[in-house]
Amino acid sequence: MRDDIRIVLVGDGGVGKSTLVTALIKETFIVNVQSVVPEVTIPPEVTPENVTTHIIDTSSKGEDQEVLETELRKANVACIVYAIDDRSSFQRVHEYWLPLLRLQGINLPVILVGNKVDMRDEDIGHAAVLEDEVVPIMNEYREIEVCVECSAKALLNVSELFYFAQKAVLHPTRPLYDARDHVMKPKCTEALIRIFRLCDTDGDGVLNDAELNEFQRKCFNTPLQQRELEGVKEIVKASRPDGVTDIGLNVQGFLYLHLLFIQRGRVETTWMVLRKFGYGDDLGLREDYLCPDFDVPPDCCVELSPGGYAFLTEIFKRYDADGDSAFCPEELENIFSLSPGIPWKHGKFPESTVTNAAGYVTLEGWLAQWSMTTLLDHKQTLAYLAYFGFPADIRDGICIASRDSSGSSGPRKRRKGKMQRNVFLCYVVGAAGSGKTSLIRAFAKKPFLQDYVPTTRSTTTVNSVDVKGSEKYLVMQEFGPYDTSVLQSRRQLEFCDLLVMAYDSSDPNSFSYLANLRKNYSLDSVPVIFVATKSDLDYVEQRGEQPPDIYCRELKLNAPVYVSVKDSQIANVFQRMAAITRSPQSATPALLLSRPHAWSATKIIGVTALAGVGLVSTFAVYQALKYWWTSIMHSRASSSYSIPRRNEL
């Protein structure tokens, strides 16, 4: 809401504009005043609306026309003054002054001011005619907010005049009410229905006494006594019997109550409600309400807070009409009718998260989807917390999490400690046909698809993983073989918590694609896991400088994990991924390669010499080294990750 208002008084000469201004300031009637009073500024503490108010008097002389038009363009509200005892000044209101505003393209709320009401007794009939003519003018010119009759001489309604002018700016009637048809405008009705639904916390279509009191507390900071609650319901029932039930006020009654407020001149009451729920003067949700300032340090990310998870869980249960712990399309449509719509339509939702056998989003999938959204775009989560009616500051629904335990970013920060975050971002890369899509679909508990469809654009799925009794969310982003821009961006790589490198164990050229990626891009600062897919097919030797297991050992990484999505043989690969995100130093090549080898030949010779009882012959050392090397090769050949060819079985 604005903190200052400019009120401009216009009208024919002699109608009392300057006298009204001086009567307000001096609180007495001044007989002889100058023709145009200088601008008056009233401090906020002495105004009912607590805003700084500027009052500008104007001249109606032709030579001052340019000044008049300039002031009108700077004004927030125009007061067109006419004299009750001067018929021609009233006629000029609709013949000259109102058309002048429209001709200048000035869209201002207007207050009609009938001054010198103390002169009415001299001509009762003339006054009655004026009153009859005001209503048609107000119907023709909808910018007119109200008509006020006052008297500077009798100090009647002078302060009220300027109060109504303030209200016309701060609490305008025009956006809410159609004065011609005597109904609320559609946008106002739509906003109030949404507010009603947010306050109807049990979803039964009625505001009971507890819900009405909570609404009253939120909007006006004070509860209603029981007799006051009953009084409100009786007022509605008297004119709108279908607006009240035995339980409380339904939506028809709620709307009728606000219609009464507006028609009785208490439009500020409805505006207080609208603004408490984030609406601006255009009856749209304000930008500062949907996306308040929330600074995120460059070495941090954003997650849902415990309060955010609790609220989204409550929302899910409230709108799960059939109580089956899943959102069918109708229930999804119902909850998102509080907002502009489902925000994930371009992300293959609900394929991106966990659903039941019928394809309906479960509570698990609902929370997972919002966990992913918050990590990737926290501003979107903030907006939807506002749309859904988060009961406090929407920023309390999210929290900042450090990307590492040391509170700094970059490769070196992955060295010590375990991550305390709950949501992690994994990039899934691999050659065409390597099984990336099947892998991330399996992660979201989707059925295996027999038909191969090439990946043409990035796809994202999310699910939770239990790690030592703690639930963590992994966001899996798949990239096609030609979509390597993410690997070229240092900033995007910093966001990545785990690089999942997938290759087809039945395709001899699949692994070399990954080796070339590492050669062409700086990827060693990112934790990595190699996944060999399609282990149900015949195993083939991968072409390249080194076999996959040797390649991984050279990087001091664990050997590739062999999986078959088709046969549901996953080998706990997702739990392994989650474990790496908690301890990234265990799978970051740049860190592992910087460490000295634990058991070099020199160390073994040294240990042998120290353990010996005297001189040890060179032959004995040779035999020990030979035995050690043979053991390693045997262990490597019999590794649990090696899959024999089927024709060798």
Side-chain angles (χ1 to χ4, degrees):
M1 195 163 66
R2 64 175 61 249
D3 53 12
D4 72 322
I5 294 174
R6 291 182 68 84
I7 303 172
V8 174
L9 276 67
V10 299
D12 290 351
V15 294
K17 301 186 298 295
S18 303
T19 308
L20 283 170
V21 177
T22 56
L24 175 72
I25 302 304
K26 303 293 186 180
E27 296 185 344
T28 187
F29 176 64
I30 306 298
V31 177
N32 296 313
V33 297
Q34 61 196 94
S35 57
V36 178
V37 176
E39 179 178 327
V40 173
T41 299
I42 303 175
E45 57 270 16
V46 298
T47 64
E49 297 291 345
N50 196 35
V51 292
T52 301
T53 303
H54 308 277
I55 302 175
I56 296 91
D57 188 16
T58 61
S59 168
S60 60
K61 295 179 180 179
E63 58 268 27
D64 297 324
Q65 183 74 10
E66 185 176 348
V67 175
L68 170 66
E69 293 176 1
T70 299
E71 289 297 344
L72 283 173
R73 282 191 289 271
K74 295 190 295 183
N76 302 119
V77 56
C79 295
I80 302 179
V81 185
Y82 64 92
I84 294 289
D85 63 341
D86 183 354
R87 173 74 178 176
S88 64
S89 70
F90 174 75
Q91 290 176 333
R92 289 260 296 171
V93 168
H94 62 90
E95 291 176 357
Y96 176 76
W97 291 108
L98 285 168
L100 173 67
L101 294 180
R102 289 189 173 181
L103 184 64
Q104 297 297 320
I106 299 170
N107 184 24
L108 294 174
V110 172
I111 309 295
L112 289 187
V113 183
N115 191 24
K116 304 184 181 182
V117 72
D118 56 291
M119 305 293 290
R120 169 169 289 169
D121 291 342
E122 298 178 8
D123 191 350
I124 298 291
H126 181 62
V129 171
L130 286 177
E131 289 179 358
D132 290 340
E133 292 182 347
V134 165
V135 174
I137 293 174
M138 293 182 71
N139 286 336
E140 181 180 355
Y141 293 90
R142 297 194 179 190
E143 55 266 44
I144 299 174
E145 287 281 325
V146 67
C147 181
V148 183
E149 293 187 336
C150 58
S151 169
K153 184 175 183 179
L155 298 180
L156 177 67
N157 288 341
V158 175
S159 60
E160 285 78 2
L161 155 64
F162 294 100
Y163 170 65
F164 282 122
Q166 287 180 332
K167 280 182 59 176
V169 177
L170 301 176
H171 312 299
T173 303
R174 283 188 296 169
L176 308 184
Y177 186 67
D178 187 331
R180 180 177 298 172
D181 296 329
H182 307 292
V183 295
M184 282 194 297
K185 290 186 175 179
K187 288 189 70 173
C188 178
T189 301
E190 180 182 332
L192 290 173
I193 290 174
R194 178 178 171 273
I195 291 171
F196 177 91
R197 291 181 60 198
L198 292 176
C199 295
D200 179 20
T201 54
D202 58 11
D204 64 352
V206 177
L207 296 185
N208 58 38
D209 289 354
E211 291 166 338
L212 276 171
N213 249 330
E214 179 58 25
F215 165 78
Q216 177 77 11
R217 183 204 61 76
K218 178 180 176 69
C219 297
F220 308 107
N221 297 318
T222 178
L224 293 173
Q225 299 297 322
Q226 188 60 38
R227 58 182 179 81
E228 294 173 317
L229 284 170
E230 296 301 327
V232 168
K233 288 184 278 189
E234 286 299 322
I235 290 173
V236 174
K237 192 174 183 178
S239 300
R240 190 69 187 267
D242 61 341
V244 182
T245 72
D246 294 338
I247 301 173
L249 213 61
N250 61 25
V251 67
Q252 289 79 16
F254 186 75
L255 293 174
Y256 177 73
L257 196 60
H258 283 280
L259 181 63
L260 283 182
F261 289 146
I262 296 169
Q263 290 179 336
R264 294 180 181 182
R266 292 177 56 189
V267 67
E268 67 274 13
T269 302
T270 298
W271 272 117
M272 286 179 70
V273 171
L274 291 167
R275 287 181 175 131
K276 274 294 182 180
F277 283 86
Y279 287 93
D281 290 349
D282 61 351
L283 290 182
L285 288 171
R286 303 188 311 272
E287 186 65 25
D288 65 303
Y289 180 76
L290 294 175
C291 189
D293 292 336
F294 190 85
D295 295 328
V296 182
D299 57 344
C300 295
C301 59
V302 183
E303 297 182 358
L304 285 169
S305 68
Y309 277 113
F311 173 72
L312 289 170
T313 300
E314 176 193 337
I315 284 290
F316 182 92
K317 293 178 178 177
R318 184 190 307 178
Y319 286 88
D320 179 19
D322 54 13
D324 65 347
S325 297
F327 272 158
C328 66
E330 292 76 16
E331 291 166 339
L332 275 174
E333 183 179 351
N334 188 28
I335 186 172
F336 282 109
S337 65
L338 296 169
S339 70
I342 298 176
W344 313 298
K345 287 185 177 180
H346 299 296
K348 296 185 178 180
F349 178 80
E351 285 291 300
S352 57
T353 192
V354 183
T355 57
N356 62 15
Y360 300 165
V361 180
T362 63
L363 175 59
E364 178 186 6
W366 172 255
L367 296 178
Q369 186 75 20
W370 282 113
S371 298
M372 175 175 69
T373 301
T374 308
L375 180 70
L376 300 179
D377 185 3
H378 71 273
K379 292 182 178 180
Q380 188 172 80
T381 295
L382 280 176
Y384 275 80
L385 287 175
Y387 290 134
F388 294 156
F390 190 76
D393 187 329
I394 57 175
R395 289 171 290 193
D396 293 340
I398 61 177
C399 61
I400 292 175
S402 176
R403 290 191 176 274
D404 61 271
S405 58
S406 64
S408 55
S409 66
R412 291 192 297 175
K413 298 193 262 163
R414 304 185 188 273
R415 288 185 182 273
K416 296 181 180 179
K418 293 187 177 180
M419 310 292 268
Q420 300 303 312
R421 292 160 49 198
N422 295 309
V423 189
F424 301 91
L425 179 59
C426 308
Y427 291 162
V428 184
V429 297
S434 59
K436 303 183 300 297
T437 301
S438 295
L439 186 66
I440 68 171
R441 281 180 56 84
F443 180 56
K445 301 180 180 179
K446 305 300 180 186
F448 176 75
L449 300 178
Q450 295 287 346
D451 296 333
Y452 169 66
V453 178
T455 299
T456 57
R457 57 190 295 266
S458 64
T459 305
T460 308
T461 62
V462 62
N463 199 355
S464 60
V465 180
D466 184 86
V467 182
K468 295 182 179 180
S470 177
E471 189 175 56
K472 305 297 179 182
Y473 290 98
L474 298 184
V475 177
M476 310 277 282
Q477 279 196 337
E478 172 198 358
F479 297 94
Y482 304 107
D483 186 9
T484 57
S485 59
V486 65
L487 303 180
Q488 300 173 12
S489 170
R490 181 179 176 183
R491 181 167 178 78
Q492 285 186 287
L493 281 178
E494 286 180 352
F495 287 149
C496 178
D497 296 298
L498 177 63
L499 190 61
V500 180
M501 306 194 86
Y503 70 95
D504 180 355
S505 62
S506 67
D507 179 356
N509 299 310
S510 188
F511 186 81
S512 61
Y513 174 86
L514 301 178
N516 289 331
L517 280 183
R518 281 201 62 253
K519 186 182 297 184
N520 296 330
Y521 303 100
S522 301
L523 305 178
D524 285 355
S525 62
V526 183
V528 62
I529 183 173
F530 286 85
V531 180
T533 64
K534 307 183 185 180
S535 63
D536 55 297
L537 301 179
D538 288 341
Y539 172 81
V540 298
E541 292 288 348
Q542 293 292 320
R543 294 170 185 160
E545 296 179 1
Q546 293 175 312
D549 58 334
I550 303 298
Y551 185 90
C552 289
R553 284 192 176 89
E554 289 292 327
L555 296 176
K556 296 188 177 181
L557 297 171
N558 289 329
V561 182
Y562 284 83
V563 301
S564 170
V565 175
K566 182 178 180 181
D567 289 351
S568 300
Q569 300 297 324
I570 300 300
N572 293 325
V573 66
F574 303 122
Q575 283 73 15
R576 298 187 193 201
M577 293 177 186
I580 292 175
T581 59
R582 285 174 55 84
S583 299
Q585 70 276 6
S586 66
T588 306
L591 301 180
L592 296 172
L593 293 172
S594 65
R595 299 173 181 172
H597 289 279
W599 289 99
S600 65
T602 305
K603 288 186 177 181
I604 292 177
I605 293 173
V607 171
T608 305
L610 290 173
V613 180
L615 293 175
V616 180
S617 68
T618 304
F619 179 75
V621 173
Y622 169 76
Q623 290 285 63
L625 286 175
K626 181 179 179 182
Y627 176 78
W628 170 72
W629 180 257
T630 304
S631 298
I632 288 178
M633 294 306 294
H634 177 73
S635 173
R636 180 175 295 175
S638 61
S639 170
S640 60
Y641 300 117
S642 298
I643 307 295
R645 296 182 181 87
R646 289 191 174 183
N647 57 13
E648 295 177 347
L649 296 178

